[in-house]
Amino acid sequence: MPTENPNTASRLVYLLAGCVLLLALSATAGETRQVLVLYSTHRLLPANLEGEGGLRETIANSVELSAEFLDYPRFSGESYAHTVTTFLREKYALRPPDVLVVGGEGALAFLLDHRTELFPQIPVVHMGVARSFLQSIPSLPADIVGVPVECDFSGTIDQALRWHPQARRLVVVTGAVTLDRKFEARLRDEVSRFQGRATAEFLARLPTDVLLKRLGELGEDAMVFTPGYFQDGAGRTFTPREAARLMAAAATAPVYGSFNTFIGIGIVGGSMPNFAAMGRQAGEIVNQLLNGAAPAELRLPAIMPTTLNVDWRQIRRWGIDEKVIPGDAIVHFKAPSFLEEHRNGAIMAAAVFLLQAGLIAGLLVERRRRRWAELAVQKQCSELAHASRLAVAGELTASIAHEINQPLGAILSNADAAGLILESGADRRDELREILADIRRDDLRASEVVRRLRTLIAKHEIERQPFDLNEAVSDVESVLRAEAQRRRVTLDIRLATTVTTLIGDRIQIQQVLINLLINAMDAVADVPEYRRTVVVSVANDARGITIAVRDRGHGIAPKHLPQIFDSFFSTKRQGMGLGLSIARTLVEAHGGRIWAEDGSDDGTVFQIEWPPASTMGVPSPEPA
Ligand code: ADP
C-alpha cells in the first residue's frame, strides 16, 4: 500500500500558491485603466481639440484614453441615437471604461438618455457643460460630476461698449440649429441689460453670404458680438470658430466673441472660458476617480473661471485706448517691445555703458588728481628754484657788496669835495653842478644793483610772457659782472643778431644762465688766467633758438657726465648739486632741452636749444 509522502504534499501546496501569486501579478500588470471621452460635436472642433489636449496633459500616460464623437448637430434623431448606442455598447463590451467623460451638453444629454443601456455603473465626468443646462436637469445622479462653465456674453458686451464709446448699435450674430438657437435665446434675454447704451440688432439664421454682406456695411457706430454658429440660414454647417473668422474678415466694425478658440482669427476678444483649462480640470477629476475616490465626496470648484482675452493687433486696428483694457486681461499677439525682444543685449549694452561711464568718471578723477599732483610739483619746483636763487644771491654777496660800495664810496668823496668847495666861499657853481650829477649817477648805479638783486631773489608768480632773450642775457651779465671781475674771469657775451623772442618766465631762464655761468666760473677758477674766459653765445637760426655757455676749465670726467643733471650730484666741496637739476627742469618746462658736451679746446660747453616750433609758443610751465 502506498504511503503518503508529506514532502510531496507540501511541495504541491507551495507550487499552487506560487501559481496563484503569479496569476495575480500578471493580472495587475495587464490591467490598463480605460477612460472614454464622448464629445457632442465632431472631431476637429477647436474646442474639442483644446479640451482633449488639457485632458491628455493631466491624465497619466498609463491610462488608455479613447474618444468618440456624436458629431452633433450634423447627425441627430432617434434612429441615430439608437445606432450610436448599439455601436458604443458593443464596441466597449469587452473593454468597458473605468471613467466616462462627456464633453458638452449634447453628450451629457445623450448619456442621461441611454446610460442604462450603455455604462450604467461607470462614474461620469462632465466637461464644458453650462451651469444653466445642469440646473435644468431634474435630478442629476450623484456619480455624474464636473465643474460647470458659463459663457460670459454680458461681460464681453459690457467691456466692448466701454472700449467703443461711439458704438450705438450692438449687432448680434447667431445661427440656425438648436445649439445656435439656445445661444440666440440667451443673448436676446441678456442684451436687454444694455438698453440705453446701445440698440441690439439680431442677424440670426441668415445665409452666410447675406450675413457677410450686411456686416460689411456696418458703420463706426456699430460693434458685433457672436458665439459663432454651427449652421447658417442656408443649411451650411460650420464650426463656430470658422463662422466667426468669416464674420471678422467681412465686418467693417469690431467683432467680439465668446470662446477662447476665437482668439487670433480677427476678433477683438471677449470674456471667455478656456477649453484647455476645462480639459485639465476634468483630467484631475478623472485621476481622483481612478484612484478610488467616491464621486459624491469630491470637493469641486463651483464654476470654471472666465478670463478676458484680447488680440493686440485688433486693439491697434480699431484704435482702442489701451488704458481702458483691464490690467488682468490676457493680451495675445503683442509684439515684444525692442527692450523685451533684446533684453539680454540691452542688459549687456547697459552694463557696457555703465562700465564705460565708470571708467570715464575714474579717468576724469585720475586726470584731476594728476593735475593737482602736477600743480603741487610745479609749486615745489618753483619754491626750490627760488631757494636756489637765494643761494646764488648768497654766493654773490661779496661781489654785490663790492658793486654797491663802489658808487657809495664815490658818492662820499663827491660829497666831501662839494663840502670843501662850499667852505671855500668861491663861486664854483659849475663844479658843484658836475659833482651833484656824479652823485646822482652813482646813486642810480647803486640802486640798479639793488634792483637787479631784488628782482633775482624776489618770490614771484610764474609768468608766461614773451621776452627778448638778448636783453635777458645782458641783464645776467650785469648781475655777474662784478663777481666775474672779482674772480678775474672774462665774460664774453655774444648776443643774437636778430630779436630773439621766447615766451615764458624771464627770471627762470635768467636763473638757468646764472647757474651755468657760476659753474663755468667755478670750472675755470684753477686754470691760468689767460684761459679764464666764459663765452655766452645766443643764436636764432634754422635750428631754433640756442644758447651755448662755453668755458675752458677742468671739464667733466666722462664717468660724471651722465650724473651732472641729477639732484644732489656735486663734485664741489660746498656744492649742493641742485643747480643743473633745477636748470633742466626749468628749460624743459619751457619746451627746450639742455645738455653738456666737451668743449673743442678743453673745458665744457652747456647747450640749450628751443626748436623753431616752440620759440614763439613755448609751452607754459603750467601743467595743461
Ligand atoms: P653744484 O654746482 O652745487 O655742484 P650743479 O648741479 O650746478 O651743482 O653742478 C653739478 C656738477 O656738475 C658740479 O659739481 C660739477 O661737477 C659739474 N659741472 C657743472 N658745470 C660744470 C662746468 N662748467 N665744468 C665742469 N664741471 C661742471
Side-chain angles (χ1 to χ4, degrees):
M1 183 176 157
T3 52
E4 193 177 306
N5 184 344
N7 279 345
T8 316
S10 62
R11 229 180 266 152
L12 271 173
V13 170
Y14 283 132
L15 204 65
L16 210 64
C19 286
V20 169
L21 192 68
L22 267 176
L23 273 174
L25 279 175
S26 62
T28 318
E31 185 190 293
T32 306
R33 319 301 299 277
Q34 306 280 336
V35 173
L36 172 63
V37 192
L38 181 64
Y39 291 97
S40 310
T41 42
H42 87 91
R43 195 171 58 87
L44 294 177
L45 199 78
N48 292 346
L49 293 172
E50 279 205 13
E52 177 95 359
L55 270 174
R56 287 190 182 275
E57 221 176 89
T58 322
I59 295 175
N61 281 342
S62 57
V63 176
E64 206 170 272
L65 205 61
S66 315
E68 299 293 344
F69 298 87
L70 292 173
D71 219 345
Y72 291 155
R74 285 199 297 173
F75 304 94
S76 57
E78 267 185 39
S79 131
Y80 174 67
H82 176 71
T83 310
V84 172
T85 309
T86 312
F87 164 73
L88 291 176
R89 191 181 54 239
E90 288 183 6
K91 181 174 176 183
Y92 291 95
L94 286 178
R95 294 165 73 91
D98 296 287
V99 177
L100 177 69
V101 179
V102 287
E105 289 154 26
L108 179 57
F110 172 84
L111 180 86
L112 289 171
D113 288 348
H114 304 281
R115 194 177 186 199
T116 40
E117 306 147 60
L118 275 171
F119 315 110
Q121 306 300 327
I122 293 164
V124 177
V125 178
H126 62 77
M127 168 175 87
V129 174
R131 182 166 53 184
S132 50
F133 180 80
L134 289 168
Q135 284 163 350
S136 70
I137 299 169
S139 61
L140 191 69
D143 61 351
I144 299 183
V145 290
V147 180
V149 64
E150 205 62 87
C151 293
D152 189 13
F153 296 160
S154 298
T156 301
I157 294 169
D158 179 52
Q159 285 291 348
L161 286 173
R162 278 173 218 241
W163 298 357
H164 304 279
Q166 78 289 353
R168 295 282 167 270
R169 294 169 63 199
L170 166 63
V171 178
V172 182
V173 184
T174 52
V177 288
T178 317
L179 199 52
D180 300 327
R181 282 169 191 267
K182 273 171 79 176
F183 284 145
E184 182 188 337
R186 197 182 137 186
L187 278 159
R188 281 194 189 277
D189 180 40
E190 290 191 21
V191 290
S192 57
R193 288 182 214 170
F194 302 103
Q195 252 175 13
R197 285 171 75 185
T199 322
E201 296 165 32
F202 275 76
L203 299 180
R205 290 157 273 131
L206 290 178
T208 299
D209 49 352
V210 177
L211 168 73
L212 298 184
K213 192 164 177 295
R214 295 278 296 274
L215 291 176
E217 289 161 357
L218 294 175
E220 270 197 356
D221 61 341
M223 52 149 288
V224 181
F225 176 81
T226 183
Y229 49 70
F230 287 93
Q231 190 175 307
D232 71 359
R236 264 181 74 195
T237 54
F238 294 85
T239 64
R241 182 178 195 262
E242 178 58 11
R245 193 184 65 76
L246 293 173
M247 289 180 230
T252 45
V255 178
Y256 287 78
S258 49
F259 305 110
N260 74 312
T261 46
F262 290 9
I263 289 291
I265 58 169
I267 69 156
V268 181
S271 177
M272 300 156 163
N274 183 304
F275 288 104
M278 287 181 224
R280 284 192 293 272
Q281 173 66 72
E284 275 166 25
I285 301 171
V286 168
N287 285 342
Q288 293 183 56
L289 294 175
L290 288 177
N291 286 336
E297 283 163 18
L298 294 176
R299 301 176 78 79
L300 299 173
I303 193 143
M304 289 299 299
T306 53
T307 352
L308 185 59
N309 286 269
V310 289
D311 182 333
W312 183 252
R313 299 163 303 183
Q314 303 303 322
I315 296 287
R316 282 284 141 106
R317 177 182 169 199
W318 298 106
I320 297 164
D321 179 3
E322 33 183 302
K323 285 195 231 87
V324 299
I325 299 171
D328 56 355
I330 299 174
V331 180
H332 301 262
F333 307 109
K334 184 173 184 180
S337 68
F338 180 83
L339 265 184
E340 285 163 349
E341 202 168 358
H342 304 281
R343 194 163 170 273
N344 287 347
I347 289 173
M348 277 290 283
V352 169
F353 176 76
L354 285 176
L355 197 72
Q356 208 175 29
L359 275 174
I360 290 171
L363 285 173
L364 285 174
V365 169
E366 200 46 47
R367 182 170 177 263
R368 178 143 285 237
R369 270 208 204 125
R370 205 190 69 208
R371 204 176 156 176
W372 283 334
E374 281 171 354
L375 283 173
V377 167
Q378 195 204 347
K379 191 161 177 271
Q380 279 169 2
C381 181
S382 166
E383 277 167 10
L384 198 60
H386 178 238
S388 165
R389 287 200 299 276
L390 289 178
V392 167
E395 224 172 298
L396 299 178
T397 315
S399 58
I400 289 166
H402 176 72
E403 220 181 341
I404 292 175
N405 269 341
Q406 265 189 337
L408 287 181
I411 287 168
L412 189 62
S413 6
N414 272 325
D416 288 347
L420 288 172
I421 289 170
L422 286 174
E423 271 172 31
S424 70
D427 184 10
R428 291 157 66 183
R429 286 189 194 177
D430 288 345
E431 264 181 80
L432 280 174
R433 233 177 251 121
E434 270 175 37
I435 287 171
L436 282 174
D438 283 352
I439 289 175
R440 197 162 177 276
R441 195 190 60 237
D442 288 333
D443 183 278
L444 285 175
R445 248 176 75 194
S447 45
E448 176 60 18
V449 174
V450 173
R451 186 194 65 76
R452 278 200 309 264
L453 189 67
R454 277 178 60 187
T455 311
L456 182 67
I457 62 178
K459 210 172 181 179
H460 73 289
E461 288 295 312
I462 295 166
E463 284 182 350
R464 192 171 177 269
Q465 300 277 347
F467 66 91
D468 181 4
L469 193 59
N470 279 341
E471 268 178 28
V473 173
S474 300
D475 271 4
V476 168
E477 187 202 1
S478 311
V479 170
L480 293 180
R481 193 187 301 123
E483 180 68 9
Q485 279 169 6
R486 192 178 69 81
R487 297 185 185 210
R488 298 183 177 284
V489 175
T490 309
L491 291 184
D492 180 357
I493 307 294
R494 301 174 189 177
L495 297 177
T497 48
T498 56
V499 175
T500 303
T501 307
L502 264 184
I503 297 172
D505 192 289
R506 175 190 167 116
I507 301 285
Q508 288 187 344
I509 296 302
Q510 285 180 324
Q511 177 175 356
V512 172
L513 282 171
I514 289 171
N515 275 332
L516 295 181
L517 283 169
I518 290 177
N519 278 346
M521 289 192 285
D522 287 347
V524 298
D526 297 329
V527 300
E529 210 172 317
Y530 72 93
R531 284 177 56 174
R532 283 193 222 149
T533 301
V534 176
V535 183
V536 180
S537 325
V538 181
N540 184 1
D541 52 30
R543 284 194 306 151
I545 294 175
T546 51
I547 304 177
V549 178
R550 190 184 307 269
D551 66 65
R552 296 181 65 199
H554 54 65
I556 303 171
K559 64 173 180 182
H560 291 154
L561 204 56
Q563 291 169 279
I564 54 169
F565 288 98
D566 292 349
S567 301
F568 307 111
F569 174 81
S570 175
T571 56
K572 302 173 192 169
R573 234 170 355 116
Q574 308 287 336
M576 288 204 299
L578 285 175
L580 286 182
S581 136
I582 290 172
R584 186 168 66 177
T585 306
L586 297 179
V587 168
E588 287 176 357
H590 283 73
R593 65 187 188 104
I594 179 170
W595 71 99
E597 40 188 65
D598 285 337
S600 49
D601 39 354
D602 302 329
T604 311
V605 190
F606 277 86
Q607 305 263 20
I608 304 174
E609 181 185 281
W610 285 278
S614 65
T615 50
M616 288 308 292
V618 175
S620 161
E622 294 277 341

